[in-house]
Amino acid sequence: MFFSSVPKVNTRRQALEKGRSSREKESPGQSILSKHLKKIYPIGLQRSNSSLSLSSLSLSLSENSNDSSTSITDSGTPLEQKISLALRLIATPERKEFSVAKSVSQQQLQQTQDSSNGEVKRCNWITTNSDKVYVSFHDEQWGVPVYDDSQLFELLALSGMLMDYNWTEILKRKELFREAFSGFDPNIVAKMGEKEITEIASNKAIMLAESRVRCIVENAKCILKVARECGSFSSYMWGYVNYKPMINKYKYPRNVPLRTPKAEAISKDLLKHGFRLVGPVIVYSFMQAAGLTIDHLVDCYRHSDCVSLAERPWRHI
């Protein structure tokens, strides 16, 4: 009886040792995954378009979970494949304008289409006759918080052009403006002389008066001065809203103001710093475009999107 129990004991021991060995093999991979996840969360103070947030990682995982061959939650998938897929998902992407916000927008758009038989609810000023460049601006950029000085400079310049054109006309020539003003790098634009100003003003494709070009150049110089005083133009602008977007809950287009007391206060201070083309109406348009204020109507599918972005920590460096 004693000898007959030995094989059973050995069998249990072998099973325990096999299980322990299996766990020991998994731990290095788990530690690698844990180390890379720490690069993503917490978000910290970083540029809004430099890396994926935890929420966008979760979004990517949920999208891939629909494919049983690539799901990292599939218990039948080997650990090595799980780690490889996860590391590909969290790898630092190439710099893309508003990439995180765009991916969230596309997911929300798909959900809205699914729940309303393909009809997407947008702000009332987006109609079936709206140009696709304007619709894209509404869906991907308008109301998304911007923290980069060059992007803020660009939006301030484009908002100033509303004196002569509407958003659709401006957006159609946005790439031409970017090329003419060196990507709206304030360090480069501030050094533009008479020759560069004349060349831009004489470009018939751009259709920008010389006085407008000079305003943009002068504003670039002012941005550099503000950056020296406040650390960055972004810090200066976001300080006016306590570093958190103002979230409005307007139901009808008539409720959305053209100017606000906050915009008037910012306008006055910008003028004191030497900025031009920064009246209260232009400043408020700039605030809407840069996400300092969220004015999507409450029943627009983008309202909840932008509110989610607004609730993140201030991401400026």
Side-chain angles (χ1 to χ4, degrees), residues 23-36:
R23 287 193 299 271
E24 290 174 353
K25 289 180 181 180
E26 288 181 0
S27 59
Q30 291 172 345
S31 63
I32 292 174
L33 180 58
S34 177
K35 180 178 69 174
H36 284 275

Side-chain angles (χ1 to χ4, degrees), residues 142-310:
W142 198 75
V144 174
V146 175
Y147 305 96
D148 180 78
D149 278 10
S150 294
Q151 291 180 6
L152 287 171
F153 176 34
E154 174 181 312
L155 289 174
L156 182 63
L158 298 183
S159 298
M161 296 177 193
L162 290 171
M163 291 285 292
D164 306 306
Y165 306 104
N166 60 42
W167 270 119
T168 299
E169 294 169 329
I170 294 169
L171 293 170
K172 284 184 175 181
R173 300 199 297 276
K174 184 172 66 174
E175 292 304 322
L176 294 175
F177 294 139
R178 285 179 174 175
E179 183 178 354
F181 292 102
S182 303
F184 287 96
D185 183 336
N187 294 286
I188 297 176
V189 178
K191 297 178 181 178
M192 286 185 173
E194 290 297 322
K195 181 179 179 181
E196 291 89 348
I197 292 174
T198 303
E199 288 179 354
I200 295 174
S202 61
N203 189 328
K204 295 183 179 180
I206 293 178
M207 297 174 59
L208 204 57
E210 183 176 324
S211 60
R212 305 306 193 207
V213 178
R214 292 187 183 278
C215 285
I216 294 174
V217 174
E218 289 301 315
N219 285 351
K221 296 177 181 178
C222 294
I223 286 177
L224 296 182
K225 292 179 182 178
V226 168
R228 287 193 291 268
E229 296 173 5
C230 305
S232 68
F233 182 58
S234 179
S235 179
Y236 166 78
M237 289 304 309
W238 281 97
Y240 272 103
V241 293
N242 198 27
Y243 306 100
K244 188 174 183 179
M246 297 184 295
I247 301 173
N248 295 315
K249 297 181 180 180
Y250 300 125
K251 188 174 181 180
Y252 305 106
R254 64 175 180 269
N255 300 139
V256 182
L258 291 176
R259 56 195 289 173
T260 64
K262 179 70 70 175
E264 291 173 358
I266 296 175
S267 173
K268 289 180 180 179
D269 201 45
L270 287 172
L271 290 170
K272 288 181 180 178
H273 281 83
F275 284 84
R276 301 169 63 182
L277 281 181
V278 288
V281 175
I282 288 178
V283 167
Y284 195 67
S285 294
F286 162 71
M287 293 173 67
Q288 291 173 318
L292 278 83
T293 181
I294 296 175
D295 279 357
H296 284 283
L297 301 183
V298 290
D299 59 352
C300 172
Y301 88 98
R302 282 295 286 153
H303 184 271
S304 58
D305 253 4
C306 291
V307 168
S308 297
L309 294 172

